[in-house]
Amino acid sequence: MELNEERQERYFIVVRSSKKGLSRGSIGRADAETAAGDLIGMVYGGGGSAKSSGTVKKQDTHPLTRHQAQLLLFVSPASRRLELLCNVQLFSAICALAQDDLVVVKHKKDFQPCLVKNLIHIGKKDKPGVLQMLGFELDLVDTQHDILSKTTAPLPFFSAADIVQVAPSHLNTRRPLRDSIALGLKRKAVSRINSMPALNSRNAKKGSIFLNTDVSSSIQSLSHSSLEVGSMAEVISLNGLTVFGVIRWIGVPEGKKNCWAGLELDNEATTCSDGTFGTKRYFTCEGNKALFVPLTNCKPDSRFLFIQNEIPKPLEPPSVTLLEDLNEDIPPVAEPDVLSHLIGRMRGIQGHFNSCYLDATLFSLFTSSVAFNRMFNRSADSEEGISHILRRDIVNRLRRTGFVPAESVMKFRKQLGCKSFATEEKDPEEFITLLLKHVLHIEPLLKIRSCGDLAQGAYTHQIIVEKNQVRAVPSVQQLLEMSFVSSDLKFEEIPSCLIVQMPRFGKKFKLFPKIIPSTELDITDTLHCFPRECFLCGHLAEYECVQCLMDHKLQPGKIKQYCTTCNTQVHIHPSRKEHTPQKLIVKDHLPEDAPLQRHQMQLFAVLCINTSHYVSFVKYGPNPRSWIFFDSMADRCGDDNNGYNVPVIRSCPEVGDFLSQSEEEMSTADVSQSSEMVRRLLCDSYMCLYQRTE
């Protein structure tokens, strides 16, 4: 066998399961490469010792530097290594950390700001066949007193995966953490890399070490930033603890003179409410999570510290897939894990260059629903074809890591077969039709029969109604039924997914100022040749009357079908003698009193638009309050030329609370008193997405 020897050490991580038994996330060193492109080398186990040797296909690996391999080796379990590697910006920043850099780590179920002190060798000293792991020694920052606290127990050593945020450097001269020779410890333990001097030793005092001026000013400057509804903020509570949350309301509450803020906290507190202050409700959230404080007590969340004049630029994503095998489908995030996995800044799909229509649509289709996974299995394109790019680089990455970089989306946009989709603003329905019909060659989602003709295929349904045909604040249920009856339409079969476009003229003019998204859509009366109930007695219906639709004595706006007896009685009335009921066609003969099944579809997402910008609401579980809001361009870091968009996902349980009311209560509610999220859902709805409940 011919080998291409390499003198330089080459490390790799396994990104796809191998038939040879190497699991995903394994770290190895390649000693040689065969002519066929297989790597020959060893895989490291716990503690950095060689566990096994063998071969692995090069395309099933991703190359690493020695430094990257040592950092990732200290991360466990192995699956977390791939998650970290997928977050290109964060991992690159971690690899380049310098002494005194400010980071945020997750420690004891909380987020803590820390300063980097040392890079630590963990495990036995380097020798042939052993690769020492690398961890970080950090000092905790007490942001209340601008000191490095020494009064608490020493912090453990942190792995690269424990670091959730890296702030840009706040020092003029940064000392890199050099991976040099470790101290001479023969056995285990840890070795501090001796290029790291003690931190601010001249200012050391018993019990604490004062921060340098730059760090202090960086943290203090946060309090001078502007805060608004939707800002992530922190507050020092009465017991001295720092609590974090999202500002949900700003104003002057009853009995107060100054401006206050209402925050929805990340965690429950016994002294907090569900959005009420005094006797009045200002917003709605989970119980024991609403905190009201003077606005001057709030400052921007230091866990997401951004220091001006240093703009981190988005990096190119790895060239090799870091997610599941192409033939695997990652399931949606489980309902209990959504808040910890998806909520926050730099979560969801990152927007870039007129992509909000596509970002919001993809997020709606794939975050919580598996109804559209079938498109992957029905497409026959190559491993680098568009369906595999969609599955691998967007859907799997979104569900597994919670973040899709703009570069992955742009790669997908360029594969859509039309240059304008990579540069121009489009409509969601245009994108859906192109994707399903012309790119993936998926059969139409809907088969709709018009005026008794043969059924026609469609991917979305545009609701067309007159404004005077429904109530002032209609529901999607009313709009769909009116649209079908007035245009003489029927579904040929029960659709697996139903995408309904709200009645609008262009992006600006709305036919209705508010529309209620029905959480359950009953399509029984819009099905062709399906048994239906008599509107009056509940027995098997045999006639349908279009003219009875708007009869004010018979629930106007509701589709009317009758059994033979009720049809005769209803049309005896003088005002209905001119009606012409149509005989219904039912395929299977059923007894008159047979129980009839209702066919319902469940709302799983709503696309909204305001001033040409698309956002998305997604229901992520059976709990009525399980709603999240997504905006791919909620914020921007840097300017138009050198910056990048910051996508944000927010929890909005108040949306579920509002939609849990009766239709009558929702239609008469004063939306101006509702939360921002509820107002956007009702006033800006553009498209509602439903799936079969079964």
Side-chain angles (χ1 to χ4, degrees):
M1 180 170 58
E2 222 178 67
L3 300 179
N4 300 320
E5 298 289 349
E6 298 246 351
R7 294 181 181 178
Q8 188 178 1
E9 285 184 322
R10 294 191 301 165
Y11 296 90
F12 63 84
I13 183 170
V14 178
V15 297
R16 283 196 283 270
S17 300
S18 168
K19 294 180 180 179
K20 301 182 183 297
L22 295 181
S23 59
R24 298 177 66 254
S26 299
I27 305 290
R29 188 188 73 203
D31 297 323
E33 183 177 336
T34 68
D38 291 343
L39 300 180
I40 300 177
M42 64 177 65
V43 175
Y44 297 101
S49 58
K51 182 174 68 173
S52 61
S53 60
T55 62
V56 60
K57 291 185 179 296
K58 190 174 181 179
Q59 62 264 32
D60 292 339
T61 67
H62 179 69
L64 301 173
T65 65
R66 178 186 176 86
H67 185 69
Q68 290 172 335
Q70 289 180 287
L71 287 173
L72 290 173
L73 199 57
F74 189 40
V75 175
S76 64
S79 59
R80 289 185 70 197
R81 299 169 183 168
L82 293 176
E83 292 177 14
L84 176 59
L85 201 56
C86 284
N87 195 334
V88 183
Q89 284 183 248
L90 177 61
F91 186 56
S92 298
I94 291 172
C95 291
L97 278 174
Q99 186 185 25
D100 294 350
D101 270 350
L102 186 61
V103 299
V104 178
V105 295
K106 191 169 186 179
H107 179 52
K108 293 183 179 180
K109 298 183 179 180
D110 199 4
F111 294 95
Q112 301 284 357
C114 298
L115 287 183
V116 176
K117 182 178 180 182
N118 269 308
L119 189 63
I120 304 298
H121 272 144
I122 300 171
K124 296 180 180 179
K125 190 175 180 180
D126 272 340
K127 63 179 182 180
V130 174
L131 181 68
Q132 280 192 299
M133 301 178 290
L134 288 179
F136 292 94
E137 184 179 14
L138 305 175
D139 277 327
L140 182 64
V141 175
D142 183 345
T143 55
Q144 185 177 3
H145 301 101
D146 297 337
I147 60 173
L148 298 178
S149 176
K150 289 289 186 178
T151 58
T152 57
L155 294 177
F157 298 128
F158 292 92
S159 75
D162 295 321
I163 298 175
V164 297
Q165 187 83 13
V166 175
S169 172
H170 43 262
L171 300 177
N172 294 326
T173 58
R174 306 171 73 229
R175 301 180 181 180
L177 299 169
R178 294 203 304 270
D179 185 2
S180 61
I181 300 174
L183 298 178
L185 300 181
K186 294 182 180 179
R187 302 176 57 180
K188 163 106 198 212
V190 298
S191 306
R192 287 170 175 78
I193 294 177
N194 56 12
S195 62
M196 302 298 297
L199 191 60
N200 288 333
S201 57
R202 282 184 291 182
N203 291 332
K205 289 190 178 183
K206 186 177 180 180
S208 67
I209 300 176
F210 285 92
L211 292 180
N212 61 65
T213 305
D214 293 311
V215 178
S216 177
S217 61
S218 294
I219 295 174
Q220 286 297 322
S221 65
L222 290 172
S223 60
H224 302 297
S225 301
S226 61
L227 290 170
E228 58 186 14
V229 173
S231 296
M232 304 177 73
E234 65 181 50
V235 177
I236 305 297
S237 64
L238 294 177
N239 58 9
L241 296 177
T242 300
V243 293
F244 302 92
V246 176
I247 294 180
R248 299 285 304 283
W249 175 84
I250 292 178
V252 180
E254 289 184 356
K256 303 295 180 182
K257 295 182 179 180
N258 299 321
C259 193
W260 281 48
L263 291 85
E264 180 178 358
L265 301 182
D266 292 352
N267 301 300
E268 292 186 5
T270 54
T271 57
C272 294
S273 70
D274 62 352
T276 58
F277 184 65
T279 59
K280 188 173 180 181
R281 176 173 297 281
Y282 294 93
F283 64 92
T284 302
C285 69
E286 295 181 30
N288 298 325
K289 279 196 172 185
L291 175 67
F292 290 85
V293 295
L295 184 60
T296 53
N297 289 12
C298 302
K299 64 180 181 180
D301 194 331
S302 61
R303 296 174 298 174
F304 304 98
L305 173 66
F306 171 71
I307 299 172
Q308 294 181 348
N309 301 324
E310 292 200 25
I311 303 169
K313 297 180 180 179
L315 302 171
E316 289 297 322
S319 57
V320 180
T321 300
L322 301 179
L323 301 173
E324 302 291 333
D325 291 345
L326 293 179
N327 294 325
E328 295 182 11
D329 284 325
I330 304 298
V333 181
E335 185 178 27
D337 300 327
V338 165
L339 297 184
S340 60
H341 187 75
L342 291 178
I343 302 303
R345 293 168 62 85
M346 293 304 284
R347 311 305 291 166
I349 302 174
Q350 187 180 29
H352 175 66
F353 205 51
N354 297 326
S355 70
C356 66
Y357 75 93
L358 184 141
D359 307 326
T361 302
L362 291 176
F363 190 86
S364 299
L365 293 177
F366 296 108
T367 300
S368 67
S369 174
V370 296
F372 288 89
N373 280 19
R374 64 184 182 133
M375 69 175 63
F376 303 135
N377 303 322
R378 295 189 180 186
S379 179
D381 57 17
S382 65
E383 286 199 357
E384 287 305 313
I386 189 167
S387 70
H388 293 279
I389 292 173
L390 176 61
R391 166 193 265 177
R392 179 188 64 195
D393 296 347
I394 296 179
V395 178
N396 281 359
R397 180 170 291 193
L398 175 64
R399 292 175 177 177
R400 187 170 182 83
T401 71
F403 175 70
V404 179
E407 291 80 6
S408 297
V409 181
M410 181 56 74
K411 180 180 178 182
F412 172 71
R413 293 170 72 184
K414 290 179 178 178
Q415 293 287 324
L416 287 173
C418 180
K419 290 183 179 179
S420 62
F421 275 90
T423 57
E424 298 176 9
E425 186 178 300
K426 299 287 184 179
D427 295 323
E429 65 272 19
E430 187 179 359
F431 164 61
I432 290 172
T433 300
L434 174 75
L435 177 66
L436 301 185
K437 181 179 180 180
H438 299 291
V439 176
L440 298 176
H441 309 292
I442 302 297
E443 290 293 321
L445 302 175
L446 312 176
K447 292 183 179 179
I448 300 177
R449 179 185 292 265
S450 174
C451 303
D453 296 335
L454 294 176
Q456 302 288 321
Y459 294 92
T460 63
H461 175 67
Q462 172 68 65
I463 288 178
I464 300 175
V465 296
E466 296 293 335
K467 193 169 185 177
N468 59 359
Q469 289 181 309
V470 293
R471 64 173 63 176
V473 183
S475 66
V476 174
Q477 178 76 53
Q478 296 168 346
L479 292 172
L480 181 71
E481 290 186 350
M482 180 60 70
S483 176
F484 265 58
V485 171
S486 59
S487 301
D488 195 10
L489 304 176
K490 285 287 187 292
F491 286 118
E492 182 75 10
E493 58 187 37
I494 302 172
S496 59
C497 293
L498 173 57
I499 302 175
V500 185
Q501 294 172 242
M502 300 302 100
R504 303 176 69 109
F505 297 100
K507 297 176 180 177
K508 296 183 178 180
F509 180 75
K510 299 180 291 186
L511 190 60
F512 300 96
K514 296 184 289 289
I515 294 175
I516 300 170
S518 305
T519 54
E520 285 192 343
L521 196 62
D522 191 328
I523 62 169
T524 309
D525 297 336
T526 61
L527 294 170
H528 178 68
C529 291
F530 277 72
R532 294 152 61 184
E533 290 181 343
C534 173
F535 174 73
L536 295 176
C537 70
H539 288 168
L540 181 66
E542 298 178 66
Y543 294 89
E544 181 180 59
C545 183
V546 176
Q547 290 95 331
C548 285
L549 180 71
M550 297 306 296
D551 194 309
H552 291 283
K553 296 180 180 179
L554 296 170
Q555 293 187 27
K558 186 74 177 174
I559 293 179
K560 311 299 190 308
Q561 59 277 328
Y562 309 103
C563 65
T564 301
T565 303
C566 292
N567 181 61
T568 302
Q569 292 176 344
V570 165
H571 290 98
I572 289 175
H573 194 282
S575 66
R576 306 187 190 102
K577 285 187 176 181
E578 302 300 322
H579 291 191
T580 55
Q582 301 296 315
K583 181 76 173 176
L584 292 175
I585 302 173
V586 180
K587 292 180 180 178
D588 301 317
H589 177 71
L590 293 173
E592 270 191 33
D593 56 351
L596 302 176
Q597 180 184 0
R598 306 296 299 182
H599 301 282
Q600 295 179 324
M601 306 196 75
Q602 190 175 59
L603 179 69
F604 69 89
V606 180
L607 263 75
C608 295
I609 183 174
N610 188 6
T611 61
S612 297
H613 181 64
Y614 292 94
V615 295
S616 175
F617 290 87
V618 169
K619 190 166 191 304
Y620 61 86
N623 189 313
R625 308 183 84 237
S626 294
W627 282 90
I628 53 177
F629 168 80
F630 166 66
D631 186 347
S632 66
M633 301 178 180
D635 198 0
R636 186 163 182 84
C637 186
D639 58 29
D640 291 341
N641 296 323
N642 299 314
Y644 56 88
N645 290 311
V646 178
V648 170
I649 301 177
R650 293 171 54 183
S651 173
C652 47
E654 69 273 21
V655 167
D657 291 338
F658 184 87
L659 295 178
S660 296
Q661 301 178 94
S662 69
E663 196 170 291
E664 187 65 31
E665 289 174 318
M666 288 188 283
S667 63
T668 57
D670 183 359
V671 180
S672 65
Q673 299 300 312
S674 301
S675 71
E676 176 199 3
M677 293 290 98
V678 171
R679 289 197 302 271
R680 295 185 74 168
L681 180 74
L682 297 184
C683 301
D684 300 337
S685 58
Y686 182 86
M687 182 179 281
C688 293
L689 288 74
Y690 291 86
Q691 60 188 357
R692 290 179 67 169
T693 54
E694 59 267 27

